[in-house]
Amino acid sequence: MAEPKQDRAVRTREAILYAAAEVMDEYGFAGASISKIAERAGATTGAMYFHFKSKEDLALAVMNAQPETVMSHLDSTGMQRLVDLTLVWSWRLQDDPLLRAGVRLAVEQGAFGLQDDTSFREWAQIMEDCLAAAREQGELLASADPSEVAELLVGACTGSQLHSQLTSGRGDLPERVVRMWRMLLPGIAVPAAVDRISLEVGRGRVGVTSR
């Protein structure tokens, strides 16, 4: 039986997106030609332009796909889910082309004419939702504002991965994330939650985390 046209189109779009991530991770935006991406995807340039109107549009799609590389690997709740999110992120940044390219493009986008903070805002909203759940579970200090903490975390994680990239190729990023939480948790979580939350650096390595 022939594959439905819609299913084939979805598969083609995904192949192009992942190929673009691989090529942009390797060569950056400027070095990622349309022909390189199409060849990596096993698609025609016509198919690429059918799904994405330009290379900039494709870069935006890669940037905004970051959360899907992390969130499906979480199985915890509240404050532990927030910690686990950053740990899984720190490990997957070392070998997941879609996440690596998304982060690289989001940071470097000004060099190729974009100024889009959608991916940063989406991460902040995801983190704010985790903090809201933590508040419902009685884990968050009354003085901690979920929106403000989420914005702080996005900035801290962005800076940490940039510094780690320069010093160790992100090899020490999980340890940096753990140190960040050791400093931050007492200022936003109730003592009982601080004692209960696991900061085991290997939680993010296996992908699925629960508590």
Side-chain angles (χ1 to χ4, degrees):
M1 182 180 294
E3 182 181 21
K5 186 175 181 179
Q6 185 175 5
D7 291 347
R8 186 165 63 250
V10 169
R11 280 200 310 107
T12 299
R13 186 185 187 281
E14 289 179 352
I16 293 170
L17 183 67
Y18 277 87
E22 290 177 351
V23 175
M24 290 179 181
D25 179 41
E26 293 170 20
Y27 300 101
F29 180 85
S33 67
I34 291 295
S35 59
K36 281 180 184 176
I37 296 170
E39 181 179 3
R40 185 75 62 94
T44 65
T45 56
M48 187 176 321
Y49 283 118
F50 174 79
H51 291 283
F52 303 96
K53 62 184 180 182
S54 65
K55 193 167 77 165
E56 288 79 8
D57 187 41
L58 186 49
L60 279 171
V62 172
M63 284 191 277
N64 294 333
Q66 292 177 56
E68 69 187 55
T69 68
V70 173
M71 301 309 293
S72 62
H73 299 281
L74 302 178
D75 190 31
S76 46
T77 61
M79 192 69 73
Q80 185 68 64
R81 183 177 182 84
L82 182 57
V83 170
D84 290 342
L85 183 161
T86 59
L87 285 171
V88 172
W89 169 84
S90 71
W91 282 107
R92 295 190 69 80
L93 250 179
Q94 299 183 42
D95 58 20
D96 186 317
L98 187 57
L99 181 57
R100 287 168 60 92
V103 167
R104 176 176 182 172
L105 294 169
V107 171
E108 298 178 355
Q109 59 179 296
F112 52 90
L114 291 180
Q115 190 173 357
D116 189 299
D117 68 345
T118 301
S119 61
F120 294 98
R121 287 188 287 105
E122 185 169 3
W123 277 124
Q125 185 59 61
I126 290 169
M127 291 178 173
E128 186 175 343
D129 291 344
C130 291
L131 288 158
R135 168 146 288 162
E136 290 180 1
Q137 295 173 21
E139 296 179 321
L140 203 62
L141 289 173
S143 59
D145 179 87
S147 178
E148 292 180 357
V149 174
E151 286 199 13
L152 174 66
L153 281 169
V154 170
C157 287
T158 300
S160 292
Q161 71 85 16
L162 282 171
H163 193 183
S164 180
Q165 172 67 17
L166 288 172
T167 58
S168 68
R170 297 198 184 103
D172 68 351
L173 184 56
E175 288 78 14
R176 287 176 182 270
V177 168
V178 168
R179 291 198 297 271
M180 175 189 77
W181 280 115
R182 284 179 181 152
M183 296 293 292
L184 184 59
L185 272 177
I188 64 173
V190 300
V194 174
D195 292 339
R196 183 173 65 249
I197 292 167
S198 172
L199 296 180
E200 170 57 46
V201 70
R203 283 181 69 86
R205 187 195 293 271
V206 295
V208 179
T209 50
S210 60
R211 177 93 176 192

